[in-house]
Each structure stands twice: as structure tokens, then as C-alpha cells.
Amino acid sequence: MKIQLQQQSVRLRLDESELAQLLEGETLRTATQWGVVGDWSMALRLQADERVSVAAAAEGVLINLPYEAVLALAGRLPCRDGLAWDIEAGGAALQLQFDVDVRDSVRQRGPRRRTDAAVTPSV
């Protein structure tokens, strides 16, 4: 899991194997050890609720994403468009973006076939 933090924006990017683990009900975790300062971690899991929830843990953050939204994203991979939510964060909106690495998806699934192209019948 790759995490990008910038002001009030968090981007989470998974590869295909991490997405499969998440969809199987596993909790994904990543941790950074800061030495004498301590550790910081982020955990990610799916929930039945349609909304995103964020909880503080002793050493970091737990993010719960809506299962159905992530499952729908998995069904349209590979694609560049991920999921995005605005989360209330103490008077300021926190933008959360969730993506699956499109290059990894193409390697695992092959290129996506376009089904919306007009078909011209042969005469």
C-alpha cells in the first residue's frame, strides 16, 4: 500500500494482490518506524457501511472503506479512475482518494476492452 499525504489530502494506492486481500476481508497495514519517536501505522479494511470512517489507533490510523464501492471499482479494472471521498475532519474537509495501480492491473488483467465504441456493421 502506498500512501501520499499532503495537507488535507490522502491518497491510498494498492496493487492487485493487496486489493484481493482487502476484498477477502483482510486488514492491510503499513508501518513506519521513527526510532526514538515511535512507530506510525495506517490500517485499511472494508466495511458494510456506505460511508468511509476513520478512527485513531494508538500508533496510527484505521480507515474503513465501503465494501460495495471497492468491489465495483475492482469490476472495472484496469482503469485510471479510482474512488474519492470528502471526510469531515474537525471543521476542514479531508480528501481521501483510493486507487489501484493501473500498470499492475494491466499486467495482471490485460488491457481493458472498449465496449462503448460504435460498431459499424459490415455490408
Side-chain angles (χ1 to χ4, degrees):
M1 174 171 42
K2 294 181 177 74
I3 303 168
Q4 291 177 307
L5 300 170
Q6 184 176 359
Q7 296 178 346
Q8 287 302 110
S9 175
V10 177
R11 180 180 181 207
L12 306 172
R13 188 173 68 199
L14 276 56
D15 62 25
E16 284 280 344
S17 65
E18 291 167 325
L19 176 64
Q21 292 172 345
L22 197 62
L23 289 170
E24 290 173 2
E26 293 183 36
T27 299
L28 299 180
R29 286 183 170 72
T30 187
T32 301
Q33 297 176 345
W34 293 87
V36 296
V37 176
D39 298 346
W40 182 85
S41 70
M42 182 174 283
L44 181 64
R45 68 179 175 201
L46 299 180
Q47 64 181 6
D49 195 334
E50 295 178 1
R51 294 181 295 163
V52 172
S53 66
V54 179
E59 70 281 355
V61 177
L62 170 63
I63 299 174
N64 296 293
L65 298 179
Y67 176 83
E68 292 297 327
V70 174
L71 184 62
L73 173 63
R76 57 186 171 91
L77 293 175
C79 66
R80 293 189 187 280
D81 299 326
L83 302 171
W85 296 273
D86 287 332
I87 303 165
E88 177 59 33
L94 173 68
Q95 297 175 342
L96 176 65
Q97 183 177 343
F98 176 81
D99 301 308
V100 177
D101 186 323
V102 71
R103 288 173 282 169
D104 186 50
S105 288
V106 169
R107 279 192 298 271
Q108 300 293 322
R109 299 172 185 248
R112 185 171 182 200
R113 293 195 175 124
R114 295 186 61 115
T115 57
D116 56 352
V119 176
T120 306
S122 58
V123 194

